[in-house]
Amino acid sequence: MRSVEEQQARVAAAAVAPRPVRVAIAESQGLMCAEEVVTERPMPGFDQAAIDGYAVRSVDVLGVGSDSEDGGEISLPVMGVIEAGARTPSRLQPRQAARVQTGAPMPTLADAVLPLRWTDGGENRVRVLRGVRSGAYVRRTGDDVQPGDVAVRAGTIIGPAQVGLLAAVGRDKVLVHPRPRLSVMCVGGELVDVSRTPGTGQVYDVNSYALAAAGRDAGAEVNRVGIISTDPRELRETVEGQVNRNEIVVIAGAVGGAAAESVRTVLSELGDMEVARIAMHPGSVQGFGQLGRDRVPVFLLPANPVSALVVFEIMVRPLIRLSLGKRQPMRRIVQARTLSPITSMPGRKGYLRGQLMRDQDTGEYLVQALGGAPGASTHLLATLAEANCLVIVPADVEEVRTGETVDVAFLAQRG
């Protein structure tokens, strides 16, 4: 029986990021930048007012409002109003002021902006109540970025700030590593789609919907194929087609039983496929291989929806995150104190459902197990839906007592 870590290493070795593509910056969020974005012009491109007020020469208002004998108030004529976006150059004469809006270009000779609260707000003449130093409330040319600076580095995950910076330097498109394409399908003579009413012995196809949602949550571009035929010819054509157009393929229900055996026989014609027992529960029996001319990673998952989701979480999700260029492909792990005893299967690493919470007074993490006895309720999808974490129990631990500390993988939900 292979350890979880050994199987994860085999999977990680197959990670290949899709070829970079150029996309609109509005579509780049969450993707890894694949180029060094070098700025060609300064930002801001001109001296501009940082606040609403009056553009002045600081020497003209020096000492106003101070405690010195020559301090006090002065008034300056207002030459006009300069709005944000003004394109006509203007020049300030000595002992003049110009009303400016935030972002407006500074007139020539002006070196500071006098805040409105330090004036009487006059239109033709403004009474100055307090002076300003040179450079006050002015954004100088190139304060943010100089020509030749790298605005966004290759390998950076593009977030809101990076999108804003790309827009600020005039880039409408950027080269990124795209989301890996994931195909999800399932096999099983008992399955029907949710659009139909199950007959005797039939059940709804849960896996293709749940696993497709898990793939999107991990960051993949998902194609939910749904239920596929196990006829050898049709199966080969379907899988081969999906392998040729996706970076990752997941087939649920393809381990265990005679139908699964025939599926594996067909898949072995397309490349290397291995079904093995992994020292974990649930989902110990699972398959992994690389099929097609491009050796695309293909996963065979159990038919049990809970087991399938857990295997996806532990094996498939990290591969998606690696393909996206994430430095930390695994979920965040925290230590939590158990609020109830947990029983785990001996010799297998347990990934058991739980609810993670935090003590408001101490800040300590607490976890309530939602299951865990070997063979008990592992099929209950409703229980997994209530869980916000997986309690990780080492393979050599059969029982965790109340109050003991365990590792917990936090299943962060996207808002």
Side-chain angles (χ1 to χ4, degrees), residues 196-214:
R196 296 175 53 192
T197 301
T200 302
Q202 293 183 316
V203 296
Y204 284 127
D205 165 27
V206 172
N207 278 325
S208 72
Y209 287 95
L211 296 173

Side-chain angles (χ1 to χ4, degrees), residues 298-315:
V298 177
F299 294 85
L300 305 183
L301 273 54
N304 180 313
V306 170
S307 298
L309 277 171
V310 171
V311 174
F312 189 99
E313 174 68 31
I314 305 305
M315 299 297 172

Side-chain angles (χ1 to χ4, degrees), residues 65-311:
S66 67
D67 295 331
S68 62
E69 293 183 1
D70 57 349
E73 300 176 4
I74 65 169
S75 65
L76 300 173
V78 180
M79 59 165 284
V81 178
I82 305 175
E83 298 179 343
R87 303 179 67 179
T88 303
S90 56
R91 181 181 180 88
L92 197 68
Q93 299 298 325
R95 298 191 64 79
Q96 276 188 339
R99 183 70 179 264
V100 290
Q101 296 179 351
T102 302
M106 293 288 288
T108 304
L109 295 186
D111 65 342
V113 174
L114 197 63
L116 288 176
R117 65 182 181 276
W118 293 352
T119 72
D120 67 348
E123 295 182 1
N124 297 317
R125 291 191 70 88
V126 59
R127 188 153 55 96
V128 181
L129 309 178
R130 179 175 170 182
V132 287
R133 296 189 304 272
S134 178
Y137 305 108
V138 175
R139 295 183 64 210
R140 296 292 188 188
T141 303
D143 270 356
D144 285 348
V145 176
Q146 293 284 352
D149 287 349
V150 177
V152 180
R153 295 192 177 279
T156 301
I157 302 301
I158 298 176
Q162 286 74 29
V163 172
L165 191 53
L166 288 167
V169 300
R171 290 291 294 270
D172 62 339
K173 294 186 177 181
V174 62
L175 194 67
V176 297
H177 294 288
R179 303 183 189 281
R181 293 167 296 181
L182 168 70
S183 177
V184 178
M185 62 194 90
C186 57
V187 295
E190 76 283 11
L191 300 176
V192 296
D193 192 73
V194 295
S195 61
R196 296 175 53 192
T197 301
T200 302
Q202 293 183 316
V203 296
Y204 284 127
D205 165 27
V206 172
N207 278 325
S208 72
Y209 287 95
L211 296 173
R216 283 188 288 269
D217 182 75
E221 179 183 317
V222 179
N223 173 35
R224 189 191 70 83
V225 179
I227 306 166
I228 61 174
S229 171
T230 54
D231 175 79
R233 181 177 177 180
E234 292 183 24
L235 176 64
R236 180 186 173 110
E237 289 179 355
T238 300
V239 174
E240 194 168 20
Q242 296 303 316
V243 164
N244 288 338
R245 65 175 67 100
N246 292 278
E247 279 77 42
I248 304 171
V249 173
V250 170
I251 307 174
V255 290
E261 183 66 33
S262 63
V263 170
R264 295 198 296 273
T265 300
V266 172
L267 297 184
S268 64
E269 299 172 3
L270 301 176
D272 299 324
M273 175 58 65
E274 177 196 50
V275 174
R277 283 195 173 273
I278 309 303
M280 63 178 283
H281 77 96
S284 64
V285 181
Q286 53 189 267
F288 176 71
Q290 293 176 271
L291 307 184
R293 63 179 183 274
D294 294 327
R295 295 183 54 79
V296 172
V298 177
F299 294 85
L300 305 183
L301 273 54
N304 180 313
V306 170
S307 298
L309 277 171
V310 171
V311 174

Side-chain angles (χ1 to χ4, degrees), residues 58 151 226 244 308 332 399 415:
S58 59
N244 288 338
R332 177 188 175 199
E399 185 174 357

